[in-house]
Every structure is written in structure tokens, then in C-alpha cells.
Amino acid sequence: MNETRFLKLTDYDNRGTVIKQEGRQFFGYEQGAWVRRGLSLGYFYPDAPEFDCYEVITEKEAKKLLNAE
């Protein structure tokens, strides 16, 4: 069973973007639906400039941020 988690990106170019992660798949919220998208592995690779530039947030926080857009 894949765990679902929500991430809020914090790097300069993507600040505030909400991403849903299910296992190894990532989804962005576009026009009212979750759409599969690629996400730079740099967020998880220690030598990359965007490493660790995200916050894990709750589904409730994600929905609140997405409704504010």
C-alpha cells in the first residue's frame, strides 16, 4: 500500500506549490484535479541545490492552500 503525503515546495522557483506524493508518483493540482507530474529528484538528493526545499503538510493544510489559489 502506498502512503500518501502532501508537500509544499519552498525553493525560490516553486515556492508555495502543493504536491501530492503517492509512493514514487507525484501529482500537481491543476484545474480542480490531481495530475501526474514529474518532480525533480533534487528535492531528495543531498548534492542538489533544491535539496530539502519542501515541507510535509497535512491533507487539510493542502486543501486550504489550494482553495486559496
Side-chain angles (χ1 to χ4, degrees):
M1 184 173 144
N2 287 335
E3 179 184 342
T4 298
R5 68 180 186 165
F6 295 86
L7 310 174
K8 181 173 72 169
L9 304 182
T10 59
D11 61 293
Y12 183 78
D13 291 335
N14 299 298
R15 184 178 316 259
T17 300
V18 175
I19 300 294
K20 178 169 79 168
Q21 179 184 8
E22 291 181 350
R24 294 181 176 213
Q25 297 180 347
F26 295 92
F27 300 84
Y29 198 74
E30 298 175 13
Q31 299 178 336
W34 290 104
V35 178
R36 185 152 182 214
R37 63 171 276 184
L39 184 67
S40 169
L41 291 178
Y43 288 98
F44 309 103
Y45 186 69
D47 293 335
E50 66 270 21
F51 175 66
D52 213 23
C53 287
Y54 65 90
E55 298 173 20
V56 177
I57 60 174
T58 65
E59 183 174 3
K60 183 177 180 179
E61 289 172 301
K63 287 180 178 179
K64 184 176 179 181
L65 289 168
L66 293 169
N67 286 333
E69 292 181 347

